[in-house]
Amino acid sequence: MIDLFHCFGAKPAHRVDTPLAAEMLRASGCRHLAVNTHTIDQVSRGEDLPVGYDTATLGSVMALVGDELGLRPVLNINHPTSAAEAVKRTRQAAQLTGIRVIKLEVLDPGFRLSVNAEVVEAARDLTADGFEVWPLITPDARTFAQCVELGSTMVRVMGSAIGARKGIEPRHLEPIRELLAESPVPVMLDGGIGSTEDVEQAFALGFQSVLVNSCLFADGTDPVTALAGFRATVDRVASGTPTH
């Protein structure tokens, strides 16, 4: 199954209110709603967790288009820098929301790259708790195998640094090919996508899905228009229609 996922901005400068979030979801066809958890200590209700970095929330987006689009919320454990922080935040957010599907990351202090050892540590604790975990890693065979062995139902692999818009860096091509050839679970390209050409390359290599985020807001880009373009590319690749 070839699919498109997205978030609603990578930093506070990326402003997404509820109507814009709804239009982005309509344009993308994505049925997974990424719910941020960086404000977990500032909210007392799960519905107040943010979708992005502006006024859109889990509650407001679900109220507006949840039924219309058949949305499935996913907890986005965004920007923790240690396994302990990621695990604590996941447990808090799950208690508030009841959501058990976890988009897990643990990043370096610059919030650019996965810290694989910390991701594995967090994934181990969370899968033991019974969560469905989608860990984010940089391309590494040992880390990938550990995530699969822990029971991850999907593994997200970075092509380049968050926000880089470089697609898959050449040095990552061979390890990515190896991971995809042997993978018993779906693999998502998540990190560094900058264009529809990057998406086409990902599917040609064997990724089952892609996630776009920073590129939706780059250089004054309209995120709805950008997502419509990515959706068209995904649909074309899924149908087998060649590029003209």
Side-chain angles (χ1 to χ4, degrees), residues 116-148:
N116 285 354
E118 294 289 309
V119 171
V120 171
E121 181 179 342
R124 181 176 292 111
D125 287 348
L126 294 174
T127 52
D129 284 351
F131 290 103
E132 179 179 346
V133 179
W134 301 346
L136 176 70
I137 66 171
T138 55
D140 176 77
R142 181 172 180 272
T143 303
F144 185 86
Q146 289 175 313
C147 291
V148 171

Side-chain angles (χ1 to χ4, degrees), residues 24-127:
M24 291 172 68
L25 288 160
R26 291 186 180 111
S28 70
C30 180
R31 296 299 174 255
H32 290 86
L33 178 65
V35 181
N36 285 1
T37 56
H38 61 282
T39 63
I40 189 67
D41 292 326
Q42 302 169 32
V43 303
S44 57
R45 303 183 307 168
E47 64 195 67
D48 294 330
L49 284 171
V51 170
Y53 291 87
D54 196 5
T55 55
T57 65
L58 168 60
S60 69
V61 175
M62 290 299 291
L64 184 59
V65 291
D67 290 339
E68 171 194 335
L69 301 180
L71 295 179
R72 181 190 185 194
V74 175
L75 289 178
N76 184 29
I77 314 304
N78 58 311
H79 294 174
T81 55
S82 70
E85 179 187 358
V87 170
K88 177 184 176 183
R89 198 193 298 173
T90 300
R91 289 170 175 165
Q92 287 178 275
Q95 186 172 20
L96 287 180
T97 64
I99 298 169
R100 304 291 294 178
V101 182
I102 310 302
K103 183 174 167 287
L104 173 68
E105 64 187 36
V106 182
L107 302 179
D108 65 11
F111 305 117
R112 299 273 286 167
L113 292 169
S114 170
V115 181
N116 285 354
E118 294 289 309
V119 171
V120 171
E121 181 179 342
R124 181 176 292 111
D125 287 348
L126 294 174
T127 52

